[in-house]
Amino acid sequence: MNPFQRHRQALASRLPDGLIVLAGGSRVLRNGDVPFPFRQKSDFLYLTGVEEPDCVVLIDPRRKAQTLFIPKVDSQHRVWLGPVPGPAQARSRYGFPRALHCDRLAAEILRAKRGCRALYADRDTLAKLGKLKGLGLRGLPGRPAALRDALDELRAVKSPGEIALMETASRVSGGAFRAAMRAVRPGMAEYEVQAVFESACLKQGLRHLAFSSIVAAGRNAAVLHYHHNDATIRGGDLVLLDAGAERLGYPADITRTFPANGRFTRRQRDIYSIVLETQKAMIDRARPGVVSADLHAKSMTMIAEGLKSLGLLKGGTAGLVENGAVRLFYPHGLAHMLGLDVHDSAGGRKRKLPNPAKVPVRFVAKLEPGFAITVEPGIYFIEALLRDPALRRKHRGSVDFARADGFLDFGGVRIEDDIVIRPDGPPRNLTDVPKEIDEVEAACGRG
Ligand code: GLY
Ligand code: MN
Ligand code: MN
């Protein structure tokens, strides 16, 4: 049984009284009549593993039936875009007991809806069904929120099959990181590092990135989701590479920060070591029952201690975390769930927790075996925060702004690994890319 068959079964047993219908994604135009590369909707991938556009899945839990509907394409489609699998091919390729063309969808729903209590479909699917001729859905209430909740609950815990897909994404992305670190030299453009990374992923058959690659040299690394990637890398710069490929929608999301000329300066080592020690400690603590927001608060404490040791912060550590001073240097979350959505859901209503930590953070969940999360602390010198007059006034007792001004050309350091929570002991780390200082120096080219 492939993982997607298991996902359909699990969803059917959560929603046994209705009919589950989900439309996959369609091509989206980029300009004129030219589409973006197609990326399947995450929920549809979860239930089918099908990367073709314009398909629909119908799950009838009461009759234990599962049908994949595929578009019937005309000869013009075949001329320009090639064939799409027919029903017989789709059945065997995707492991469905039944596959039909989409023009049979209305009739199949009409047949299956007898005695059903609800239609579990998302809003997009309900809108599409509303346009189908001959399909009256009166008396069959649409329940998009219940479907969302069930899918979020299921998608939070990754099965061995899903973890295997993420392992592939991590292994290939890890090799591409090593290639980028080997290639980097002062004088290169950021996009040349991007080209090395992305071509290494492509050469291994992973043709989709999980998100746009971030290659940020020097000050650009202080832009958290930098996207220009067009500056020249200078000797003495740190280069932050945050990137990852995906396999059947399952991503890697990795960050490394490395010296353009192969050697960290003293100051770079100081900042890097604080981030690295924090990251390793938080990975070690990521165990079942731990609340992610508490982990985040702990990482802020460690970063605050480190910045105090460099004279950038002053005063009691707890106060620096609570008053937000440390957030001037570390303004994002420690972690997020990782899955078919790079920033994946932390589960449905049952898993919703109040935030127990005294710090604002979006990801609040009690970690469970099978959760895949990132661990990605960072330290940045962000002019927009450090030169903000109101923040300077608010934090003048906590931050040595004169000293911080001397770091404004530094940029930032982020280190990000992808881990899976295990039932006991420390988590499994899917990321295999050098991160110790001597390993990173050995992995980088010498300018
Ligand atoms: N690459 C986006 C993130 O790390 O969350
Ligand atoms: Mn991330
Ligand atoms: Mn990332």
Side-chain angles (χ1 to χ4, degrees), residues 112-136:
K113 78 173 202 164
R114 259 174 257 134
C116 267
R117 306 263 294 262
L119 188 64
Y120 296 107
D122 64 10
R123 288 183 202 291
D124 181 40
T125 306
L126 288 169
K128 283 187 175 154
L129 295 182
K131 290 185 199 145
L132 284 185
K133 282 203 190 79
L135 180 63

Side-chain angles (χ1 to χ4, degrees), residues 224-285:
L224 300 179
H225 281 173
Y226 178 70
H227 60 279
H228 295 294
N229 295 7
D230 61 355
T232 301
I233 299 168
R234 297 167 313 165
D237 277 353
L238 284 180
V239 179
L240 183 153
L241 172 60
D242 181 349
E246 64 179 31
R247 167 87 183 108
L248 261 181
Y250 286 87
D253 178 8
I254 303 170
T255 306
R256 288 293 181 268
T257 310
F258 41 91
N261 59 15
R263 285 263 175 259
F264 287 96
T265 63
R266 178 62 211 253
R267 171 190 265 202
Q268 289 168 347
R269 260 166 204 264
D270 288 343
I271 300 289
Y272 189 93
S273 305
I274 299 168
V275 178
L276 180 62
E277 292 316 311
T278 304
Q279 201 240 13
K280 291 195 294 187
M282 294 310 109
I283 289 176
D284 189 61
R285 282 170 173 248

Side-chain angles (χ1 to χ4, degrees), residues 211 242 253-255 335-336 338 342-343 374 376 414 416 418:
F211 52 91
D242 181 349
D253 178 8
I254 303 170
T255 306
H336 55 82
L338 188 68
V342 177
H343 298 161
T374 64
E376 50 177 309
R414 174 162 71 253
E416 176 176 26
D418 303 337

Side-chain angles (χ1 to χ4, degrees), residues 194-233:
Q194 177 182 359
V196 174
F197 174 83
E198 294 181 6
S199 97
C201 294
L202 271 169
K203 281 182 189 162
Q204 295 294 313
L206 297 201
R207 296 183 307 115
H208 296 289
L209 298 170
F211 52 91
S212 302
S213 306
I214 296 168
V215 187
R219 291 175 84 114
N220 296 337
V223 179
L224 300 179
H225 281 173
Y226 178 70
H227 60 279
H228 295 294
N229 295 7
D230 61 355
T232 301
I233 299 168

